Amino acid sequence: METIAPFIEVIDEIKEAGGDVFKLCFQCGLCDAVCPWNRVRDFSMRKVIREAAFGLTEIEGEDVWRCTTCGACPAQCPRGVKQIDVSVSLRRVASAYDIFPSSVRSARTARASLISEGNPLQGERGKRADWAKDLAVKPYTDDMEVLYFVGCYLSYDPRMKKVAAATANILNKAGVKFGILGDKESCCGESIRKTGAEEVFKNLAKENIKTFIDNGVKKIIVSSPHCFHTFKNEYPEFMVHFEVVHMNQYLLELINDGRLELKGEFPKTVTYHDPCYLGRHNGIYDEPRDVLKSIPGLELVEMADHGKNSLCCGGGGGRIWMDTPKEERFSDIRLEQANEVGAQVLATSCPYCITNFEESRLNLIFEDVLEIKDITEIVSEML
């Protein structure tokens, strides 16, 4: 393998990129015990951190790019190593040397699309609001209650556009005065940041922040946990603070305030998947379940791994754009868990999770026995 830089220089670069926390690791292995990769193949985050401590002079392999940033290992680490920071710092170094394994090259395409069109899906910026053409959705003005920040997947992906439409239907039925930014909206930048493209993230963040300020935005509703996490926890790095609410939280508020009247019944057995960036990263576990429990006729059951121990879908850390062999997909395991508890519907609240689950549903021939739905889609049906 090619040596990318002298030993000591690479250590310095890893530190500068944010990975200095590796020095805290005392190699206990608790990270490996909870890492979802070890359900599908041999992988050691402990080894990655150990190599980083010694300079990681060989960086061409896949392991640097495996971390889905699910948050399972930081939650278990007794030393506060912050494995996600280490992974991202290593990716920044790899990106600086333009070293990407073949499975990661699609992430480079996503990066180019983000720079040119403001989204990772190669969609034209001018068509970002096309999903709302036939719906009662208006451009945001500063006298509105909330901005609905739609996000990239809900704006461009055919499957996820249904979630955007369901969300708009709910907000309209509840009498919420809301609007969207349309082609003024850019990707939040969370996932591309986790692939090591720090400058791309900063440019996207600054663009969105300027747009929010120029349009008088104060309260933001989001469908994606990744947008939620970034606006709430990462944009404050730029000395700004906006009120950010995930749609699950807002749904419960609308129901409790009597603004949403659910009609009829939803007579199905439903299990809920906790997205990593809503659950472990931000502690939102109860609100989505409370929404589901409020739906007449719905029976809520829990899978083997749920709540704080939820199993990652595999899409975080930019891996939604990377190639994963069929036999190594966490989402397959998740669908099997849903099937084991007799669920007819696997509900969740994340575009990455839905995208991965829909693909696994076809691969596992679960198409006729298990539906994948965003919670907003279920609620919209009840209006």
Side-chain angles (χ1 to χ4, degrees), residues 21-70:
V21 287
F22 62 68
K23 66 186 180 184
L24 297 174
C25 177
F26 59 14
Q27 294 287 295
C28 68
L30 285 176
C31 52
D32 290 347
V34 297
C35 179
W37 276 108
N38 286 303
R39 299 200 185 195
V40 295
R41 60 167 296 124
D42 289 332
F43 171 71
S44 177
M45 177 57 73
R46 173 176 58 174
K47 179 182 176 183
V48 170
I49 293 170
R50 185 66 169 170
E51 289 178 344
F54 285 100
L56 195 65
T57 56
E58 295 179 342
I59 201 169
E60 295 89 345
E62 301 275 350
D63 282 357
V64 165
W65 300 93
R66 291 200 187 280
C67 178
T68 65
T69 67
C70 72

Side-chain angles (χ1 to χ4, degrees), residues 80-107:
V81 171
K82 298 182 181 178
Q83 291 86 346
I84 292 173
D85 291 354
V86 174
S87 293
V88 172
S89 70
L90 297 178
R91 292 173 183 183
R92 287 179 188 166
V93 174
S95 298
Y97 286 93
D98 199 31
I99 296 175
F100 299 91
S102 58
S103 65
V104 179
R105 286 172 188 161
S106 55

